[in-house]
Amino acid sequence: MITLTQRLTANLNATASMTLALTADDRTRSRHRFETADGHALYLQLPRGTVLRNGDRLQSEDGLIVKIIAKPEPVLTVTADTSLHLLQAAYHLGNRHVPLEITPTYLRLAPDPVLRDLLVHRGLHVIEEVQPFQPETGAYGHSH
């Protein structure tokens, strides 16, 4: 099994030997066994609290480089008629400590029927999709 112990920070364009597609939740695991799409077993042994992002490169002790890909997963994508409505939705979701991807034009969160109803009731547009999900990591750079 290949053990990945280091996140590359200096050479972000390093050529990867393989890719590993992970969900948002998987990218918060610093010590876990995963399998690539083509069946290679990989073990993450990273510093506790490491949150991986789409495009990150990890390296094994013997120099193998693996590129992390944000795996598409079920999400709710929220849009609004005005920027203010989108900001208000982000505020209400933040008060509930919901992992949230924030962009200028949409918010994205894990599917939740109660939150979906809240957002629709507030006049927002909510669609269910399967997309890569990259929630904010929090004020201190780690998952909540």
Side-chain angles (χ1 to χ4, degrees), residues 114-135:
V114 173
L115 295 176
R116 178 188 174 86
D117 288 348
L118 169 113
L119 295 164
V120 169
H121 179 74
R122 293 190 58 82
L124 295 139
H125 312 286
V126 181
I127 59 171
E128 295 180 29
E129 298 184 288
V130 175
Q131 294 287 337
F133 180 38
Q134 298 201 82

Side-chain angles (χ1 to χ4, degrees), residues 15-106:
T15 303
S17 301
M18 62 181 72
T19 61
L20 178 61
L22 301 175
T23 65
D25 187 52
D26 290 341
R27 292 191 312 272
T28 66
R29 299 171 186 253
S30 54
R31 302 197 187 279
H32 195 80
R33 182 191 182 281
F34 292 103
E35 198 168 290
T36 64
D38 56 356
H40 289 94
L42 302 174
Y43 183 74
L44 299 187
Q45 190 174 339
L46 302 168
R48 298 226 183 262
T50 299
V51 177
L52 300 171
R53 303 290 295 170
N54 185 55
D56 279 352
R57 306 299 198 274
L58 302 179
Q59 186 171 351
S60 68
E61 290 178 349
D62 62 356
L64 178 79
I65 297 174
V66 175
K67 181 179 179 180
I68 301 299
I69 303 293
K71 183 178 184 177
E73 59 187 292
V75 293
L76 298 178
T77 300
V78 181
T79 58
D81 293 331
T82 70
S83 298
L84 179 59
H85 290 150
L86 199 60
L87 286 169
Q88 289 170 332
Y91 171 81
H92 288 290
L93 293 168
N95 271 346
R96 289 163 177 79
H97 300 273
V98 174
L100 189 63
E101 180 177 339
I102 303 168
T103 76
T105 58
Y106 68 84

